[in-house]
Amino acid sequence: MQVPTDEHGLIPEGLDAALTANARLLYAQPNFQNPTGRRLPLERRHALAALARNAAFPVIENDPYGALDYAGAPLPTLLSIAPDHIVHLGSVSKVLAPGLRVGYIIAPEELHFKLVQAKQQATDLHTPSLTQRIVYEVVKDGFLDGHVPTIRALYRDQCEAMLDALQRHMPAGVEWNRPEGGMFVWVKLPKHIDSMKLFERSIEQNVAFVPGGPFFANEASHNTMRLSFVTVPPATIDEGVAKLGTLIRASV
Ligand SMILES: Cc1ncc(COP(=O)(O)O)c(C=O)c1O
């Protein structure tokens, strides 16, 4: 089931009895959510932490993007607010390299055995020691302290470039958000444009994005798409957004 959201992310008041009565878990990404780039405001974090303290189900905080906070002013994680009641997921994929396949879980002790069992039965017996040791060697002397600000600044500049390009090239009726961190801009197209069809045309021009429809758990909005600004420089971002703008104009 999908929890109600707005431009600030998950709405805690929307977690009414109808949604939570038979819930098995609550999954949230408070920082720069994939796909929307939204960041959950402080008061909603406290509301979710309060819910986690009383809930009959685990509250999962997935936080792979938390370090990519452009202003360097992070909001407290749910874990830091309610340490005994949150299952917190982290990863080195967004700050070191996704190919390492190294992440971690911080969870209440009574869940540890179940989590190990779930990993062993559902994925693999264990994450390779080699990649774990590589991560350890890279981070143990503080490499991330210097590296994270570098990629933060790079992504912030590329995010700005994408927002400028959207402003220049998108026709009226297209809306997008201004992310405070992370890797994505969430774009809403005029209602009649199906981003899956747009994708088929844009990929022919070497412009890729992720159509928004598959991100919805219930009723999908097919006029949405996720744009990533992290892998190409500003000039290429501008060129790609210009091509997208032309395709969208042709669909309006
Ligand atoms: C929502 C979300 N969770 C987790 C991850 C990181 O996953 P992993 O550590 O398996 O690379 C990503 C990255 O793609 C993501 O978007």
Side-chain angles (χ1 to χ4, degrees), residues 198-207 243 247:
L198 182 68
F199 177 77
E200 285 161 18
R201 294 195 294 279
S202 79
I203 204 73
E204 285 168 5
Q205 303 199 21
N206 274 339
V207 178
K243 285 182 180 172
L247 288 173

Side-chain angles (χ1 to χ4, degrees), residues 27 29 34 62 64-65 91 93-94 101:
Y27 170 83
Q29 290 177 59
N34 179 5
N62 187 20
Y65 300 101
S91 170
S93 283
K94 309 300 168 191
R101 315 305 317 143

Side-chain angles (χ1 to χ4, degrees), residues 74-87:
L75 292 175
T77 57
L78 302 183
L79 179 74
S80 70
I81 302 171
D84 297 331
H85 302 276
I86 298 292
V87 178

Side-chain angles (χ1 to χ4, degrees), residues 68 70 151 154-155 158-159 162 182-184 227-233 237:
L68 304 177
Y70 301 152
I151 53 173
L154 179 77
Y155 294 169
Q158 290 180 184
C159 178
M162 180 166 274
M183 297 183 161
F184 312 115
L227 302 185
S228 168
F229 44 78
V230 297
T231 46
V232 294
I237 290 173

Side-chain angles (χ1 to χ4, degrees), residues 209-229:
F209 61 84
V210 182
F215 286 109
F216 292 81
N218 303 134
E219 211 171 303
S221 298
H222 294 286
N223 59 324
T224 54
M225 57 186 192
R226 189 196 81 178
L227 302 185
S228 168
F229 44 78

Side-chain angles (χ1 to χ4, degrees), residues 22-33:
N22 298 311
R24 302 297 296 272
L25 58 85
L26 172 70
Y27 170 83
Q29 290 177 59
N31 286 321
F32 320 120
Q33 187 206 34

